[in-house]
Each structure stands twice: as structure tokens, then as C-alpha cells.
Amino acid sequence: MNREAPPLIPGGIDRILLILRWLALVLAIGLSFIDRSMEGVFVGIFPLVGGIAAYNLAILFLPRFLPWLRQPFNVLALDVLVSTLAVYLNGGYHSAFFILYVFVLISAAFRLSVMSSLLLANLAAFLYLAACLLNPARLSTIEATYITGTKLTLLLIVALLSSLLLEQLRREREETARERALAEAQATFVSAVSHELRTPLTCIKTSIELLQATEAQDADASRHELIQTITNHVARLESLVNDLLQVTRLEAEQVVLTPQPTDMALFLKRVARSFTPLLVRKSQHLELDVSPGLPRVWVDRKQIEQVISNLLSNAIKFTPQGGHIRLALRGDKDTLVISVRDDGPGIPLEEQPHIFEKFYVGHQQKATGGVGVGLGLYIARRLVELHGGRISVNSTPGQGATFTFTLPLGRKVSRL
């Protein structure tokens, strides 16, 4: 029920709903010429139409001043009350303004969930019955009772059918959107993998050709550099293939964890030392901040090392030359909390909810020409969740990013 208020200048569905408001008034005028009975009529059709027309105009502006009218359910409930007042003042059970209820419930189907629409329909039915009973025309005849019962049934049928129909349309639209997103992700994945495979293969091929063409006297001088280039790109290909295989195993629920009691302080120091060459190359400083006296935790060391390595690799990649990276470990009740903070450009707020999705590559990585197909953080999330933990990111653009994940103390490890 708590959705955004319709915009002041209607568009799309809001335009349709506004048209429905005015169409209901036109139909009420038309129906009034069919039933000319004046029994129980306090106010004529045209003064009431004028009043409701003024209400329709006012409801466009009132949400600016009345915050509670910014919720669709509240606006529709107010519509029901206005419709009830019109019915009471214009003849009760035979009032042409009954048609207003029908259009309110159709509008509710566009705006609300099925349950909320049915709740509104029951409210409308109750108030309509009350208006009929309180109006001097009352329900004193079998004909009046039959007409009222038929109208009440009609209200509930309209609410149910329109709500179910539009709910089905919503689901189909969401399914279509998911299929489109999946197709886009697959296309992006194929493109990214093709690029990831083509670049190192080209470098390897070129290096081999240069080795073959190197003159004997120049062989010793260039051999090492070319072999190192081949080694680096083979490692890059190996990493990509390993990530693809890891995702395949995770998706097929074939990952088997082997938990061991682990001193995470010593474990983090060992993992951090393995990144010394990369840190030295970029003149970066890695600070290790470990709280003392922390208990051991049951983890699969290989998998958790992959998580930490992924976070540290990203931190080094996006932290500028001479920057600072902080790897921290602390306790928090029944969990250990590990975080990696960098001095990089940060992550835009709109990207943060998607950063752990499969195949998601952020704008910053694309802009800097960074390699990757968007699997590293997805794998990290899945591995942390298998250990019963959670992973998150906190970042302000221009002020770096902090990735944090938790590990529960005690042997709470999922086994796939």
C-alpha cells in the first residue's frame, strides 16, 4: 500500500486513472436520466457532479500539503468516502453515483496488491450498505434489497477480477523483464568472455612469434620479458577458467566445504603477505588491523582465502599509486567481522545493490578498462553465505569503498 504518490502532472497509468475519474462522472450523469426517482434525494445530480469535479481537481494538489495523501491506498479510501457521501445524498440504493465505486476499485487494481484491493472493496461494500440503510429511501422493498445485493456482488466481482487480471499482467511483465535482463546478462557475458580470452591469447601468440623471430644474439635479452608476458596471460586465462568452473559448481550445488578451526589473525597475515609484490609495484601500503584475543572460527580455508584474495585484489586494482589499504578483523558478539577498505574512486550508490550479482561489471571498471566478467564478487558472496555469513559494501563516491563480511563463531557451515 505504501507506494509513491501519483505525480502532479499525470502520465502513463496516472493519466488513465485521471480519465477514469472523469468518465465515472459522465456515466453518473447518464445513469441519472434512467432512474428519475426523487426518493431520498437531498442534493440533485448536477450540484453533486460539480462538487465531485472540484474534488477531482483538488486531489491533484492536496498531496503537496497533506503527506498522508501521498499513499495510493489513502487516496483511494478517500475516494470511497466521497462516493459514499454522494450515494447517501442522492437517493441511496438507486443513486447513479454507485458507478463511482466501480471506477475506484478498477483504479485500485492498478495501484494496489490483490489483498489491498479486496480490503478496499469490502470497505466500499460496507459503506455503500450503510449509506443505503441510512438514506430515507432505505431498503424497505424487496426490489430495493435485490438491487442493493446485486450492486454489492458486482463490487466484489469487479474488485476480484480486475485485481487478479492486473496482478497476472504485472507478473508477466516482471517475468519478461527478468528474461530480458537474463538475455542482456548472457550477451554481456559472452562479449566479456570473448574479450577476456582474445586479449591474452593474442598476447601469447605475439610473444611466441617474437620468440621464434628473435635473433640469436638478442635472445638472452628479450627471452625473459616475452616468457613473463606469456606466463602472466596464461595465469589470467587460468583465473578466468577457474572462476567459470567455480560458478558452475556453485550453481549446481556441488561445492563441498571442508571446515577447520582457524586462527583468522594468523590466516589474514599469511594472505596479506602473498600480496606484497603487487603492493610494492604500486607503492601501496597495506595496514593490518586485528583485534587481540579473538577465538578460532570454523571455515574452509581455501574458500575463505579466495574471498579475501578477491577483495584485496580489487582494492589494489582500484587504489591509486601510493594509496592505502586497510585489512581489519574484529569480533562482534557471535561473529567475526573482516573488512577491506581502499582509497579508490568508490562505487556509485546506484551500483551498490548490484555489485554482488553474477556478471555485473561496474561503470568504474569499464571506464578504467579493468579486466573481469563480473564473477569475483558474486563468487565471494556465495562462499561467504555458505559459511553462514553476510557480505556487504559501504562506499561514498570519491572516498573509497569498504567491503565487509562476517563469519559466525561455532560450526555453522552450509554443506552443498
Side-chain angles (χ1 to χ4, degrees):
M1 289 190 294
N2 296 327
R3 298 183 181 178
E4 291 185 2
L8 183 61
I9 305 300
I13 289 178
D14 299 304
R15 186 182 300 276
I16 294 173
L17 299 185
L18 180 60
I19 292 173
L20 287 179
R21 284 179 176 273
W22 296 102
L23 181 60
L25 282 183
V26 173
L27 288 177
I29 295 173
L31 291 172
S32 68
F33 291 104
I34 297 175
D35 180 8
R36 306 300 297 270
S37 173
M38 297 301 294
E39 184 182 11
V41 175
F42 296 109
V43 181
I45 183 74
F46 290 106
L48 274 178
V49 167
I52 295 174
Y55 165 76
N56 285 345
L57 293 174
I59 205 67
L60 293 173
F61 300 91
L62 287 176
R64 285 185 172 182
F65 311 103
L66 300 174
W68 63 275
L69 281 179
R70 295 170 190 168
Q71 305 301 329
F73 185 87
N74 294 342
V75 175
L76 293 167
L78 185 60
D79 289 344
V80 168
L81 291 175
V82 170
S83 302
T84 302
L85 180 62
V87 167
Y88 172 75
L89 294 175
N90 193 249
Y93 76 91
H94 65 85
S95 172
F97 286 99
F98 168 80
I99 196 67
L100 298 182
Y101 288 116
V102 175
F103 282 88
V104 169
L105 294 181
I106 293 174
S107 299
F110 281 94
R111 283 292 186 188
L112 307 177
S113 66
V114 174
M115 293 303 298
S116 297
S117 295
L118 293 179
L119 175 63
L120 192 71
N122 280 280
L123 174 64
F126 173 77
L127 291 177
Y128 174 69
L129 181 60
C132 293
L133 291 172
L134 293 174
N135 184 274
R138 300 187 183 277
L139 302 176
S140 54
T141 65
I142 295 178
E143 179 186 4
T145 303
Y146 173 77
I147 291 174
T148 302
T150 302
K151 288 182 176 180
L152 289 174
T153 304
L154 176 63
L155 282 182
L156 295 177
I157 291 175
V158 167
L160 182 61
L161 291 182
S162 58
S163 297
L164 290 176
L165 175 61
L166 286 168
E167 183 68 20
Q168 180 64 27
L169 291 176
R170 287 190 198 103
R171 291 178 180 176
E172 291 178 359
R173 184 178 61 184
E174 291 171 359
E175 183 64 28
T176 301
R178 280 195 295 268
E179 291 176 357
R180 186 182 300 114
L182 179 59
E184 291 174 357
Q186 289 174 339
T188 301
F189 170 71
V190 170
S191 175
V193 168
S194 299
H195 174 76
E196 290 295 302
L197 292 174
R198 184 173 60 248
T199 301
L201 286 173
T202 301
C203 292
I204 291 171
K205 179 182 177 182
T206 302
S207 298
I208 292 174
E209 290 173 350
L210 288 172
L211 276 174
Q212 292 172 340
T214 301
E215 297 293 338
Q217 62 269 25
D218 298 326
D220 291 339
S222 60
R223 189 185 305 275
H224 176 73
E225 181 180 351
L226 292 173
I227 291 176
Q228 187 61 47
T229 299
I230 293 173
T231 302
N232 291 341
H233 285 289
V234 167
R236 179 174 163 187
L237 286 173
E238 183 182 27
S239 176
L240 174 60
V241 171
N242 287 339
D243 281 349
L244 291 172
L245 290 174
Q246 180 78 318
V247 168
T248 301
R249 288 194 294 266
L250 286 167
E251 296 290 340
E253 299 187 349
Q254 294 176 348
V255 175
V256 178
L257 299 183
T258 308
Q260 297 174 275
T262 304
D263 184 333
M264 287 302 298
L266 295 176
F267 185 75
L268 289 183
K269 290 177 183 177
R270 181 178 64 79
V271 175
R273 278 197 300 269
S274 67
F275 283 87
T276 300
L278 289 176
L279 293 165
V280 171
R281 189 179 307 164
K282 294 188 69 174
S283 302
Q284 294 171 341
H285 173 66
L286 175 60
E287 174 192 356
L288 189 59
D289 182 9
V290 177
S291 299
L294 295 175
R296 289 172 173 257
V297 61
W298 284 84
V299 297
D300 184 311
R301 295 177 186 175
K302 180 181 177 181
Q303 308 292 6
I304 292 301
E305 180 175 356
Q306 183 177 357
V307 174
I308 298 169
S309 296
N310 181 280
L311 298 181
L312 284 176
S313 296
N314 286 343
I316 293 171
K317 180 193 305 180
F318 293 108
T319 297
Q321 193 85 10
H324 179 267
I325 300 167
R326 180 173 178 269
L327 175 60
L329 171 67
R330 61 182 176 84
D332 183 16
K333 297 180 181 178
D334 58 349
T335 62
L336 291 184
V337 181
I338 301 167
S339 62
V340 176
R341 188 179 69 191
D342 62 55
D343 290 341
I347 303 169
L349 294 177
E350 64 273 14
E351 291 187 6
Q352 293 180 28
H354 309 287
I355 203 72
F356 296 103
E357 294 176 1
K358 185 169 57 174
F359 305 139
Y360 185 82
V361 179
H363 173 75
Q364 186 64 34
Q365 185 166 344
K366 294 177 183 177
T368 57
V371 298
V373 293
L375 294 178
L377 290 176
Y378 170 75
I379 292 172
R381 175 176 67 83
R382 291 294 302 269
L383 292 177
V384 169
E385 290 175 350
L386 286 181
H387 284 79
R390 292 289 180 269
I391 188 169
S392 62
V393 62
N394 183 26
S395 177
T396 300
Q399 300 181 21
T402 301
F403 286 84
T404 304
F405 70 93
T406 61
L407 294 172
L409 295 171
R411 197 164 181 171
K412 300 179 182 178
V413 177
S414 300
R415 293 175 179 272
L416 291 184

